[in-house]
Structure formats: structure tokens, C-alpha cells
Amino acid sequence: MVKKEYAHLIKPFAVKDPPKGLYAEPRIWMEGKDMEGFNAQFSFGFVKKPSTFHPLEGALIHPYDEILVFETMDRKSILNMDAEISVELGEEREEHIFKEPSCVLVPKGTPHGPVTVKKIGKPIVHYTIGLANEYKAEAVKGAAKPTRGTKYNRLIKKMITTVNIAPTAATDRLSNVIGRDGIMRPAQGGVGPGNGDQIVWLYGSDLEGFNVNFTWGLYSQCGKWHRGGEAHYHPEEEILVFVGLDPDNLNFLGAELELGMGKDYERHIFNTPTVAICPAAFPHLPLITRWVDKPYGFIVICLSGEHASPWVEAK
């Protein structure tokens, strides 16, 4: 077997116990050391019943910005979530409750937690993005009881694509496939048959200036993801995250994909949950979904508030 130059950038996910006291169940858990030095950390799992986590008790502070994402697997509408969730923020333990797919922004040094899923009808996705390459947390005390207020309202953001900061033509005409509802439908809009059925994409200007942009998308079709050139790159680091939607099996993807890496489009094929690491200015694509048994999820995490994606061609 010929050794591939970029095999180290394609990694199956590690399912492991998270740091003690954070979550009650194993999750996909990846730090920079697991992702070739990528300058962020990522975790992924499902919530299937009313529960408390992040942390199980008390509150935490991190020496970096963090995002807690709560998402649906509802293929009828990526904006519908059958759950009621509360999170406590600040020394005041100010409680915020939301029922729609949302993310919670946690600026570095901000006490937060716990998260409590008060009601849930169908399992939901919960993933986290920490903007440092190593997990660090300190337990802190807050008010004796949760309080109500509006001081931290700005830190709760709906998971919806904002049209006035949509991607440009450099990212495959995605700006033309955003509906009035804030859902992107690139496969339906002709971007590429293998692209997303429904996607939401948030940028730094949505995220109180956090230096990141990220997505959540539901995918079910075969074919090439992008028209245009064969490969593109980003000025900043990015990871491409492929996850399954089986709440009882974090090791299940339900599809097989082929991804080109590097200027010669070195092909890599995978059919388990996988992360592809793209260093700054690293050419990647084409991306092709070869087969799909079950719909799957896909997440982009790019370490910039914006998302430049110029095309490149092989030499």
C-alpha cells in the first residue's frame, strides 16, 4: 500500500470520557494534540433525556472563549428543536432558557453552568468549540441561587444564517441558496448534488466578535459537493467534521465520503465519524459523497470571524 502524504490530516474521532465532572457519558473529545496542533478543541455528543451537564454541579470558567451549541436532527426543519434548555451565566447565576436551536457564547473568564435540559421530546445534538488547543477549567462559586435578568442576553444566539453576512461567490454561490427562513439549501440550489440539505452558518459578527465561524448541516445525498474549481483553501486553519446521527452510537456515520487533500488532490476515503484538518492555506477538495445509508451531520469550524475560500488549481 502506498503511504499517503496527508494521511495524518484525516483522523477518526476518539470517543472518550470527558474531564471529570463535565458530562456523565462518553463523547467525541478532541483537543489540539489530537488534531495536528489545531488551535481549538471540539467535543460532540447527544442529549437523549432531561439532564444536567457542563458541569454536573457548580460553575466553571475557562481562560479562552467557548461556544456551546445545541442543535436539532429534524430533517423537516433545522430550526425546530423539541427541547427546553437552561444555562446559568455570570457570577449572578443569571438563568437563560431557550427552546430553539441556539449557541451559548462564553467569553473567557465568564462563569457558566450548569446546563440543564428541562424537557426533551427527541434527542438533540450538543457540541462545543473551545478557542484554545487544550481544555482548561476552574471551578468557581456564584450566587446562592439562580437569578433572572438580561445582562447576558447577548450571549444566547439562535442558530440561523444571517443573510447580510452570507458567504460570497468565493464559497460556491452559497449566498444564493439562503431562504427567507435563514436556512441554506445548497444541494437544492445547485451548488453541488452532495452538498447539504439544510445548513446554518454563523460568523464572528454573529458571535460577539469571537474569532471563528462554524456550521451545522444535515446531509443525505450522493455526489460532488461543489461546482467551480477542484480545490480551495482558507487563510486560516479549518477542520471539517463528519458525524453520524445515531444517538446510541457515536462511532456510526452511515455514509462514505472521498476527500481530496493537497495540491494534487490526494484522495482519502472514510465511512466512520472523521475530522479532516486543513492547515492555513492548505488546498482541499473535491469532496464527494460516495454512498449514504443514513443521513449524517457535517460541521465546519474555521478559526476566523470570516470565511474566505479562494479556488486553486493543481499545478
Side-chain angles (χ1 to χ4, degrees), residues 180-217:
R180 292 177 178 269
D181 54 7
I183 301 174
M184 304 170 71
R185 298 176 176 87
Q188 178 180 322
V191 173
N195 216 307
D197 304 328
Q198 299 183 55
I199 302 172
V200 290
W201 199 323
L202 279 73
Y203 299 82
S205 53
D206 297 303
L207 304 170
E208 299 295 317
F210 280 21
N211 200 32
V212 66
N213 67 89
F214 70 96
T215 70
W216 171 245

PDB file of all heavy atoms in Angstrom, residues 180-217:
ATOM      1  N   ARG A 180     -35.608  32.699   3.001  1.00  0.00           N
ATOM      2  CA  ARG A 180     -36.097  33.745   3.890  1.00  0.00           C
ATOM      3  C   ARG A 180     -36.123  33.290   5.342  1.00  0.00           C
ATOM      4  O   ARG A 180     -36.127  34.104   6.264  1.00  0.00           O
ATOM      5  CB  ARG A 180     -37.503  34.189   3.459  1.00  0.00           C
ATOM      6  CG  ARG A 180     -37.543  34.926   2.125  1.00  0.00           C
ATOM      7  CD  ARG A 180     -38.962  35.263   1.739  1.00  0.00           C
ATOM      8  NE  ARG A 180     -39.012  36.014   0.479  1.00  0.00           N
ATOM      9  CZ  ARG A 180     -38.992  37.328   0.385  1.00  0.00           C
ATOM     10  NH1 ARG A 180     -38.923  38.053   1.499  1.00  0.00           N
ATOM     11  NH2 ARG A 180     -39.043  37.927  -0.778  1.00  0.00           N
ATOM     12  N   ASP A 181     -36.150  31.972   5.549  1.00  0.00           N
ATOM     13  CA  ASP A 181     -36.155  31.425   6.898  1.00  0.00           C
ATOM     14  C   ASP A 181     -34.770  31.349   7.515  1.00  0.00           C
ATOM     15  O   ASP A 181     -34.610  30.941   8.665  1.00  0.00           O
ATOM     16  CB  ASP A 181     -36.794  30.033   6.918  1.00  0.00           C
ATOM     17  CG  ASP A 181     -36.157  29.067   5.919  1.00  0.00           C
ATOM     18  OD1 ASP A 181     -35.135  29.425   5.300  1.00  0.00           O
ATOM     19  OD2 ASP A 181     -36.697  27.956   5.755  1.00  0.00           O
ATOM     20  N   GLY A 182     -33.718  31.714   6.755  1.00  0.00           N
ATOM     21  CA  GLY A 182     -32.366  31.677   7.283  1.00  0.00           C
ATOM     22  C   GLY A 182     -31.703  30.324   7.164  1.00  0.00           C
ATOM     23  O   GLY A 182     -30.629  30.108   7.736  1.00  0.00           O
ATOM     24  N   ILE A 183     -32.297  29.403   6.407  1.00  0.00           N
ATOM     25  CA  ILE A 183     -31.717  28.089   6.172  1.00  0.00           C
ATOM     26  C   ILE A 183     -31.051  28.082   4.803  1.00  0.00           C
ATOM     27  O   ILE A 183     -31.639  28.521   3.814  1.00  0.00           O
ATOM     28  CB  ILE A 183     -32.787  26.981   6.226  1.00  0.00           C
ATOM     29  CG1 ILE A 183     -33.482  26.966   7.591  1.00  0.00           C
ATOM     30  CG2 ILE A 183     -32.164  25.615   5.945  1.00  0.00           C
ATOM     31  CD1 ILE A 183     -34.659  25.999   7.664  1.00  0.00           C
ATOM     32  N   MET A 184     -29.829  27.570   4.737  1.00  0.00           N
ATOM     33  CA  MET A 184     -29.134  27.391   3.468  1.00  0.00           C
ATOM     34  C   MET A 184     -29.452  26.003   2.939  1.00  0.00           C
ATOM     35  O   MET A 184     -29.416  25.013   3.683  1.00  0.00           O
ATOM     36  CB  MET A 184     -27.629  27.539   3.672  1.00  0.00           C
ATOM     37  CG  MET A 184     -27.238  28.864   4.306  1.00  0.00           C
ATOM     38  SD  MET A 184     -25.488  28.930   4.811  1.00  0.00           S
ATOM     39  CE  MET A 184     -24.719  29.002   3.212  1.00  0.00           C
ATOM     40  N   ARG A 185     -29.758  25.899   1.632  1.00  0.00           N
ATOM     41  CA  ARG A 185     -30.088  24.630   0.991  1.00  0.00           C
ATOM     42  C   ARG A 185     -29.231  24.477  -0.271  1.00  0.00           C
ATOM     43  O   ARG A 185     -29.735  24.559  -1.390  1.00  0.00           O
ATOM     44  CB  ARG A 185     -31.580  24.571   0.673  1.00  0.00           C
ATOM     45  CG  ARG A 185     -32.473  24.636   1.925  1.00  0.00           C
ATOM     46  CD  ARG A 185     -33.952  24.663   1.556  1.00  0.00           C
ATOM     47  NE  ARG A 185     -34.804  24.633   2.729  1.00  0.00           N
ATOM     48  CZ  ARG A 185     -35.189  25.716   3.423  1.00  0.00           C
ATOM     49  NH1 ARG A 185     -34.762  26.926   3.048  1.00  0.00           N
ATOM     50  NH2 ARG A 185     -35.971  25.600   4.484  1.00  0.00           N
ATOM     51  N   PRO A 186     -27.930  24.252  -0.107  1.00  0.00           N
ATOM     52  CA  PRO A 186     -27.033  24.253  -1.275  1.00  0.00           C
ATOM     53  C   PRO A 186     -27.275  23.128  -2.260  1.00  0.00           C
ATOM     54  O   PRO A 186     -27.106  23.323  -3.470  1.00  0.00           O
ATOM     55  CB  PRO A 186     -25.644  24.163  -0.645  1.00  0.00           C
ATOM     56  CG  PRO A 186     -25.861  23.654   0.726  1.00  0.00           C
ATOM     57  CD  PRO A 186     -27.200  24.138   1.152  1.00  0.00           C
ATOM     58  N   ALA A 187     -27.645  21.926  -1.799  1.00  0.00           N
ATOM     59  CA  ALA A 187     -27.908  20.842  -2.746  1.00  0.00           C
ATOM     60  C   ALA A 187     -29.095  21.195  -3.636  1.00  0.00           C
ATOM     61  O   ALA A 187     -29.057  21.030  -4.862  1.00  0.00           O
ATOM     62  CB  ALA A 187     -28.169  19.535  -2.010  1.00  0.00           C
ATOM     63  N   GLN A 188     -30.133  21.724  -3.035  1.00  0.00           N
ATOM     64  CA  GLN A 188     -31.335  22.117  -3.778  1.00  0.00           C
ATOM     65  C   GLN A 188     -31.042  23.290  -4.704  1.00  0.00           C
ATOM     66  O   GLN A 188     -31.619  23.409  -5.791  1.00  0.00           O
ATOM     67  CB  GLN A 188     -32.432  22.495  -2.780  1.00  0.00           C
ATOM     68  CG  GLN A 188     -33.724  22.958  -3.399  1.00  0.00           C
ATOM     69  CD  GLN A 188     -34.760  23.305  -2.325  1.00  0.00           C
ATOM     70  OE1 GLN A 188     -34.864  22.651  -1.292  1.00  0.00           O
ATOM     71  NE2 GLN A 188     -35.502  24.365  -2.559  1.00  0.00           N
ATOM     72  N   GLY A 189     -30.094  24.163  -4.286  1.00  0.00           N
ATOM     73  CA  GLY A 189     -29.800  25.371  -5.059  1.00  0.00           C
ATOM     74  C   GLY A 189     -28.770  25.192  -6.148  1.00  0.00           C
ATOM     75  O   GLY A 189     -28.380  26.171  -6.781  1.00  0.00           O
ATOM     76  N   GLY A 190     -28.281  23.966  -6.367  1.00  0.00           N
ATOM     77  CA  GLY A 190     -27.375  23.725  -7.466  1.00  0.00           C
ATOM     78  C   GLY A 190     -25.908  23.916  -7.161  1.00  0.00           C
ATOM     79  O   GLY A 190     -25.077  23.889  -8.082  1.00  0.00           O
ATOM     80  N   VAL A 191     -25.551  24.103  -5.897  1.00  0.00           N
ATOM     81  CA  VAL A 191     -24.134  24.249  -5.555  1.00  0.00           C
ATOM     82  C   VAL A 191     -23.389  22.957  -5.845  1.00  0.00           C
ATOM     83  O   VAL A 191     -22.259  22.952  -6.310  1.00  0.00           O
ATOM     84  CB  VAL A 191     -23.973  24.669  -4.079  1.00  0.00           C
ATOM     85  CG1 VAL A 191     -22.504  24.665  -3.667  1.00  0.00           C
ATOM     86  CG2 VAL A 191     -24.568  26.049  -3.861  1.00  0.00           C
ATOM     87  N   GLY A 192     -24.027  21.835  -5.558  1.00  0.00           N
ATOM     88  CA  GLY A 192     -23.459  20.519  -5.815  1.00  0.00           C
ATOM     89  C   GLY A 192     -24.390  19.473  -5.252  1.00  0.00           C
ATOM     90  O   GLY A 192     -24.937  19.662  -4.162  1.00  0.00           O
ATOM     91  N   PRO A 193     -24.624  18.359  -5.945  1.00  0.00           N
ATOM     92  CA  PRO A 193     -25.645  17.397  -5.521  1.00  0.00           C
ATOM     93  C   PRO A 193     -25.362  16.738  -4.179  1.00  0.00           C
ATOM     94  O   PRO A 193     -26.295  16.332  -3.483  1.00  0.00           O
ATOM     95  CB  PRO A 193     -25.652  16.362  -6.651  1.00  0.00           C
ATOM     96  CG  PRO A 193     -24.325  16.516  -7.323  1.00  0.00           C
ATOM     97  CD  PRO A 193     -23.976  17.963  -7.202  1.00  0.00           C
ATOM     98  N   GLY A 194     -24.083  16.629  -3.774  1.00  0.00           N
ATOM     99  CA  GLY A 194     -23.771  16.015  -2.495  1.00  0.00           C
ATOM    100  C   GLY A 194     -23.774  16.975  -1.333  1.00  0.00           C
ATOM    101  O   GLY A 194     -23.592  16.565  -0.183  1.00  0.00           O
ATOM    102  N   ASN A 195     -23.989  18.256  -1.608  1.00  0.00           N
ATOM    103  CA  ASN A 195     -23.931  19.260  -0.544  1.00  0.00           C
ATOM    104  C   ASN A 195     -25.152  19.175   0.363  1.00  0.00           C
ATOM    105  O   ASN A 195     -26.010  18.321   0.200  1.00  0.00           O
ATOM    106  CB  ASN A 195     -23.772  20.653  -1.153  1.00  0.00           C
ATOM    107  CG  ASN A 195     -22.887  21.555  -0.317  1.00  0.00           C
ATOM    108  OD1 ASN A 195     -23.104  21.731   0.868  1.00  0.00           O
ATOM    109  ND2 ASN A 195     -21.867  22.123  -0.947  1.00  0.00           N
ATOM    110  N   GLY A 196     -25.253  20.099   1.309  1.00  0.00           N
ATOM    111  CA  GLY A 196     -26.218  19.969   2.384  1.00  0.00           C
ATOM    112  C   GLY A 196     -27.664  20.126   1.974  1.00  0.00           C
ATOM    113  O   GLY A 196     -28.013  20.932   1.118  1.00  0.00           O
ATOM    114  N   ASP A 197     -28.522  19.348   2.633  1.00  0.00           N
ATOM    115  CA  ASP A 197     -29.969  19.535   2.507  1.00  0.00           C
ATOM    116  C   ASP A 197     -30.380  20.823   3.216  1.00  0.00           C
ATOM    117  O   ASP A 197     -31.152  21.618   2.687  1.00  0.00           O
ATOM    118  CB  ASP A 197     -30.728  18.361   3.135  1.00  0.00           C
ATOM    119  CG  ASP A 197     -30.323  17.021   2.563  1.00  0.00           C
ATOM    120  OD1 ASP A 197     -29.966  16.968   1.372  1.00  0.00           O
ATOM    121  OD2 ASP A 197     -30.370  16.023   3.305  1.00  0.00           O
ATOM    122  N   GLN A 198     -29.863  21.001   4.443  1.00  0.00           N
ATOM    123  CA  GLN A 198     -30.126  22.192   5.235  1.00  0.00           C
ATOM    124  C   GLN A 198     -28.877  22.505   6.051  1.00  0.00           C
ATOM    125  O   GLN A 198     -28.278  21.625   6.655  1.00  0.00           O
ATOM    126  CB  GLN A 198     -31.299  21.983   6.190  1.00  0.00           C
ATOM    127  CG  GLN A 198     -32.619  21.666   5.525  1.00  0.00           C
ATOM    128  CD  GLN A 198     -33.735  21.541   6.544  1.00  0.00           C
ATOM    129  OE1 GLN A 198     -33.981  22.436   7.348  1.00  0.00           O
ATOM    130  NE2 GLN A 198     -34.414  20.407   6.522  1.00  0.00           N
ATOM    131  N   ILE A 199     -28.488  23.781   6.039  1.00  0.00           N
ATOM    132  CA  ILE A 199     -27.304  24.223   6.771  1.00  0.00           C
ATOM    133  C   ILE A 199     -27.611  25.554   7.447  1.00  0.00           C
ATOM    134  O   ILE A 199     -28.322  26.396   6.890  1.00  0.00           O
ATOM    135  CB  ILE A 199     -26.096  24.427   5.829  1.00  0.00           C
ATOM    136  CG1 ILE A 199     -25.756  23.145   5.064  1.00  0.00           C
ATOM    137  CG2 ILE A 199     -24.864  24.906   6.597  1.00  0.00           C
ATOM    138  CD1 ILE A 199     -24.700  23.357   3.985  1.00  0.00           C
ATOM    139  N   VAL A 200     -27.029  25.768   8.622  1.00  0.00           N
ATOM    140  CA  VAL A 200     -26.967  27.110   9.218  1.00  0.00           C
ATOM    141  C   VAL A 200     -25.497  27.435   9.452  1.00  0.00           C
ATOM    142  O   VAL A 200     -24.688  26.561   9.750  1.00  0.00           O
ATOM    143  CB  VAL A 200     -27.771  27.213  10.528  1.00  0.00           C
ATOM    144  CG1 VAL A 200     -29.266  27.141  10.235  1.00  0.00           C
ATOM    145  CG2 VAL A 200     -27.381  26.116  11.524  1.00  0.00           C
ATOM    146  N   TRP A 201     -25.154  28.722   9.273  1.00  0.00           N
ATOM    147  CA  TRP A 201     -23.745  29.138   9.311  1.00  0.00           C
ATOM    148  C   TRP A 201     -23.649  30.442  10.096  1.00  0.00           C
ATOM    149  O   TRP A 201     -24.299  31.430   9.753  1.00  0.00           O
ATOM    150  CB  TRP A 201     -23.245  29.342   7.881  1.00  0.00           C
ATOM    151  CG  TRP A 201     -21.758  29.326   7.708  1.00  0.00           C
ATOM    152  CD1 TRP A 201     -20.810  29.821   8.550  1.00  0.00           C
ATOM    153  CD2 TRP A 201     -21.057  28.781   6.584  1.00  0.00           C
ATOM    154  NE1 TRP A 201     -19.558  29.620   8.034  1.00  0.00           N
ATOM    155  CE2 TRP A 201     -19.677  28.977   6.834  1.00  0.00           C
ATOM    156  CE3 TRP A 201     -21.451  28.161   5.401  1.00  0.00           C
ATOM    157  CZ2 TRP A 201     -18.692  28.580   5.933  1.00  0.00           C
ATOM    158  CZ3 TRP A 201     -20.471  27.761   4.514  1.00  0.00           C
ATOM    159  CH2 TRP A 201     -19.107  27.954   4.770  1.00  0.00           C
ATOM    160  N   LEU A 202     -22.836  30.453  11.146  1.00  0.00           N
ATOM    161  CA  LEU A 202     -22.640  31.642  11.969  1.00  0.00           C
ATOM    162  C   LEU A 202     -21.200  32.131  11.840  1.00  0.00           C
ATOM    163  O   LEU A 202     -20.271  31.332  11.739  1.00  0.00           O
ATOM    164  CB  LEU A 202     -22.958  31.353  13.443  1.00  0.00           C
ATOM    165  CG  LEU A 202     -24.455  31.381  13.805  1.00  0.00           C
ATOM    166  CD1 LEU A 202     -25.176  30.159  13.273  1.00  0.00           C
ATOM    167  CD2 LEU A 202     -24.647  31.486  15.311  1.00  0.00           C
ATOM    168  N   TYR A 203     -21.049  33.472  11.872  1.00  0.00           N
ATOM    169  CA  TYR A 203     -19.773  34.132  11.668  1.00  0.00           C
ATOM    170  C   TYR A 203     -19.407  34.970  12.898  1.00  0.00           C
ATOM    171  O   TYR A 203     -20.220  35.160  13.807  1.00  0.00           O
ATOM    172  CB  TYR A 203     -19.843  35.038  10.442  1.00  0.00           C
ATOM    173  CG  TYR A 203     -20.156  34.300   9.171  1.00  0.00           C
ATOM    174  CD1 TYR A 203     -21.472  33.968   8.842  1.00  0.00           C
ATOM    175  CD2 TYR A 203     -19.147  33.912   8.309  1.00  0.00           C
ATOM    176  CE1 TYR A 203     -21.764  33.280   7.682  1.00  0.00           C
ATOM    177  CE2 TYR A 203     -19.433  33.225   7.141  1.00  0.00           C
ATOM    178  CZ  TYR A 203     -20.742  32.911   6.838  1.00  0.00           C
ATOM    179  OH  TYR A 203     -21.031  32.223   5.690  1.00  0.00           O
ATOM    180  N   GLY A 204     -18.185  35.513  12.890  1.00  0.00           N
ATOM    181  CA  GLY A 204     -17.747  36.309  14.020  1.00  0.00           C
ATOM    182  C   GLY A 204     -18.676  37.459  14.344  1.00  0.00           C
ATOM    183  O   GLY A 204     -18.882  37.797  15.519  1.00  0.00           O
ATOM    184  N   SER A 205     -19.271  38.069  13.333  1.00  0.00           N
ATOM    185  CA  SER A 205     -20.191  39.179  13.587  1.00  0.00           C
ATOM    186  C   SER A 205     -21.499  38.714  14.211  1.00  0.00           C
ATOM    187  O   SER A 205     -22.239  39.517  14.790  1.00  0.00           O
ATOM    188  CB  SER A 205     -20.473  39.943  12.287  1.00  0.00           C
ATOM    189  OG  SER A 205     -20.896  39.067  11.269  1.00  0.00           O
ATOM    190  N   ASP A 206     -21.812  37.424  14.108  1.00  0.00           N
ATOM    191  CA  ASP A 206     -22.952  36.851  14.835  1.00  0.00           C
ATOM    192  C   ASP A 206     -22.576  36.506  16.271  1.00  0.00           C
ATOM    193  O   ASP A 206     -23.447  36.303  17.107  1.00  0.00           O
ATOM    194  CB  ASP A 206     -23.405  35.537  14.187  1.00  0.00           C
ATOM    195  CG  ASP A 206     -23.918  35.694  12.783  1.00  0.00           C
ATOM    196  OD1 ASP A 206     -24.859  36.480  12.596  1.00  0.00           O
ATOM    197  OD2 ASP A 206     -23.379  35.038  11.884  1.00  0.00           O
ATOM    198  N   LEU A 207     -21.262  36.374  16.514  1.00  0.00           N
ATOM    199  CA  LEU A 207     -20.766  35.711  17.719  1.00  0.00           C
ATOM    200  C   LEU A 207     -20.006  36.667  18.628  1.00  0.00           C
ATOM    201  O   LEU A 207     -19.027  36.275  19.274  1.00  0.00           O
ATOM    202  CB  LEU A 207     -19.863  34.533  17.309  1.00  0.00           C
ATOM    203  CG  LEU A 207     -20.511  33.503  16.377  1.00  0.00           C
ATOM    204  CD1 LEU A 207     -19.463  32.521  15.835  1.00  0.00           C
ATOM    205  CD2 LEU A 207     -21.613  32.731  17.111  1.00  0.00           C
ATOM    206  N   GLU A 208     -20.482  37.913  18.695  1.00  0.00           N
ATOM    207  CA  GLU A 208     -19.870  38.915  19.569  1.00  0.00           C
ATOM    208  C   GLU A 208     -18.372  39.074  19.307  1.00  0.00           C
ATOM    209  O   GLU A 208     -17.585  39.346  20.211  1.00  0.00           O
ATOM    210  CB  GLU A 208     -20.118  38.555  21.042  1.00  0.00           C
ATOM    211  CG  GLU A 208     -21.589  38.508  21.438  1.00  0.00           C
ATOM    212  CD  GLU A 208     -22.266  39.876  21.342  1.00  0.00           C
ATOM    213  OE1 GLU A 208     -21.649  40.863  21.777  1.00  0.00           O
ATOM    214  OE2 GLU A 208     -23.399  39.939  20.823  1.00  0.00           O
ATOM    215  N   GLY A 209     -17.979  38.891  18.039  1.00  0.00           N
ATOM    216  CA  GLY A 209     -16.598  39.106  17.662  1.00  0.00           C
ATOM    217  C   GLY A 209     -15.661  37.938  17.933  1.00  0.00           C
ATOM    218  O   GLY A 209     -14.450  38.069  17.735  1.00  0.00           O
ATOM    219  N   PHE A 210     -16.187  36.768  18.343  1.00  0.00           N
ATOM    220  CA  PHE A 210     -15.326  35.596  18.501  1.00  0.00           C
ATOM    221  C   PHE A 210     -14.626  35.316  17.172  1.00  0.00           C
ATOM    222  O   PHE A 210     -15.220  35.452  16.099  1.00  0.00           O
ATOM    223  CB  PHE A 210     -16.151  34.371  18.904  1.00  0.00           C
ATOM    224  CG  PHE A 210     -16.518  34.290  20.360  1.00  0.00           C
ATOM    225  CD1 PHE A 210     -16.516  35.412  21.172  1.00  0.00           C
ATOM    226  CD2 PHE A 210     -16.876  33.077  20.926  1.00  0.00           C
ATOM    227  CE1 PHE A 210     -16.872  35.335  22.505  1.00  0.00           C
ATOM    228  CE2 PHE A 210     -17.222  32.979  22.259  1.00  0.00           C
ATOM    229  CZ  PHE A 210     -17.220  34.112  23.057  1.00  0.00           C
ATOM    230  N   ASN A 211     -13.376  34.879  17.247  1.00  0.00           N
ATOM    231  CA  ASN A 211     -12.577  34.678  16.034  1.00  0.00           C
ATOM    232  C   ASN A 211     -12.799  33.274  15.473  1.00  0.00           C
ATOM    233  O   ASN A 211     -11.900  32.431  15.446  1.00  0.00           O
ATOM    234  CB  ASN A 211     -11.100  34.909  16.340  1.00  0.00           C
ATOM    235  CG  ASN A 211     -10.304  35.197  15.090  1.00  0.00           C
ATOM    236  OD1 ASN A 211     -10.820  35.798  14.137  1.00  0.00           O
ATOM    237  ND2 ASN A 211      -9.058  34.780  15.065  1.00  0.00           N
ATOM    238  N   VAL A 212     -14.022  33.028  14.994  1.00  0.00           N
ATOM    239  CA  VAL A 212     -14.400  31.712  14.493  1.00  0.00           C
ATOM    240  C   VAL A 212     -15.645  31.861  13.633  1.00  0.00           C
ATOM    241  O   VAL A 212     -16.435  32.795  13.816  1.00  0.00           O
ATOM    242  CB  VAL A 212     -14.659  30.732  15.668  1.00  0.00           C
ATOM    243  CG1 VAL A 212     -15.874  31.163  16.480  1.00  0.00           C
ATOM    244  CG2 VAL A 212     -14.791  29.294  15.201  1.00  0.00           C
ATOM    245  N   ASN A 213     -15.805  30.980  12.660  1.00  0.00           N
ATOM    246  CA  ASN A 213     -17.096  30.789  12.012  1.00  0.00           C
ATOM    247  C   ASN A 213     -17.342  29.293  11.950  1.00  0.00           C
ATOM    248  O   ASN A 213     -16.397  28.500  11.853  1.00  0.00           O
ATOM    249  CB  ASN A 213     -17.174  31.461  10.641  1.00  0.00           C
ATOM    250  CG  ASN A 213     -16.265  30.841   9.608  1.00  0.00           C
ATOM    251  OD1 ASN A 213     -16.645  29.897   8.909  1.00  0.00           O
ATOM    252  ND2 ASN A 213     -15.036  31.360   9.478  1.00  0.00           N
ATOM    253  N   PHE A 214     -18.610  28.891  12.053  1.00  0.00           N
ATOM    254  CA  PHE A 214     -18.901  27.460  12.102  1.00  0.00           C
ATOM    255  C   PHE A 214     -20.308  27.183  11.579  1.00  0.00           C
ATOM    256  O   PHE A 214     -21.130  28.092  11.422  1.00  0.00           O
ATOM    257  CB  PHE A 214     -18.747  26.913  13.520  1.00  0.00           C
ATOM    258  CG  PHE A 214     -19.806  27.365  14.495  1.00  0.00           C
ATOM    259  CD1 PHE A 214     -20.922  26.572  14.750  1.00  0.00           C
ATOM    260  CD2 PHE A 214     -19.689  28.573  15.164  1.00  0.00           C
ATOM    261  CE1 PHE A 214     -21.897  26.980  15.643  1.00  0.00           C
ATOM    262  CE2 PHE A 214     -20.666  28.995  16.061  1.00  0.00           C
ATOM    263  CZ  PHE A 214     -21.769  28.192  16.303  1.00  0.00           C
ATOM    264  N   THR A 215     -20.561  25.898  11.303  1.00  0.00           N
ATOM    265  CA  THR A 215     -21.835  25.484  10.717  1.00  0.00           C
ATOM    266  C   THR A 215     -22.428  24.314  11.476  1.00  0.00           C
ATOM    267  O   THR A 215     -21.769  23.653  12.280  1.00  0.00           O
ATOM    268  CB  THR A 215     -21.646  25.025   9.253  1.00  0.00           C
ATOM    269  OG1 THR A 215     -20.933  23.787   9.241  1.00  0.00           O
ATOM    270  CG2 THR A 215     -20.881  26.036   8.432  1.00  0.00           C
ATOM    271  N   TRP A 216     -23.686  24.044  11.171  1.00  0.00           N
ATOM    272  CA  TRP A 216     -24.326  22.753  11.429  1.00  0.00           C
ATOM    273  C   TRP A 216     -25.138  22.428  10.180  1.00  0.00           C
ATOM    274  O   TRP A 216     -25.879  23.288   9.680  1.00  0.00           O
ATOM    275  CB  TRP A 216     -25.224  22.775  12.653  1.00  0.00           C
ATOM    276  CG  TRP A 216     -26.051  21.521  12.807  1.00  0.00           C
ATOM    277  CD1 TRP A 216     -27.413  21.415  12.739  1.00  0.00           C
ATOM    278  CD2 TRP A 216     -25.563  20.185  13.026  1.00  0.00           C
ATOM    279  NE1 TRP A 216     -27.809  20.116  12.919  1.00  0.00           N
ATOM    280  CE2 TRP A 216     -26.694  19.324  13.096  1.00  0.00           C
ATOM    281  CE3 TRP A 216     -24.296  19.627  13.167  1.00  0.00           C
ATOM    282  CZ2 TRP A 216     -26.580  17.951  13.283  1.00  0.00           C
ATOM    283  CZ3 TRP A 216     -24.184  18.265  13.366  1.00  0.00           C
ATOM    284  CH2 TRP A 216     -25.307  17.451  13.423  1.00  0.00           C
ATOM    285  N   GLY A 217     -25.004  21.221   9.658  1.00  0.00           N
ATOM    286  CA  GLY A 217     -25.737  20.854   8.458  1.00  0.00           C
ATOM    287  C   GLY A 217     -26.180  19.415   8.463  1.00  0.00           C
ATOM    288  O   GLY A 217     -25.547  18.536   9.082  1.00  0.00           O
TER     289      GLY A 217
END
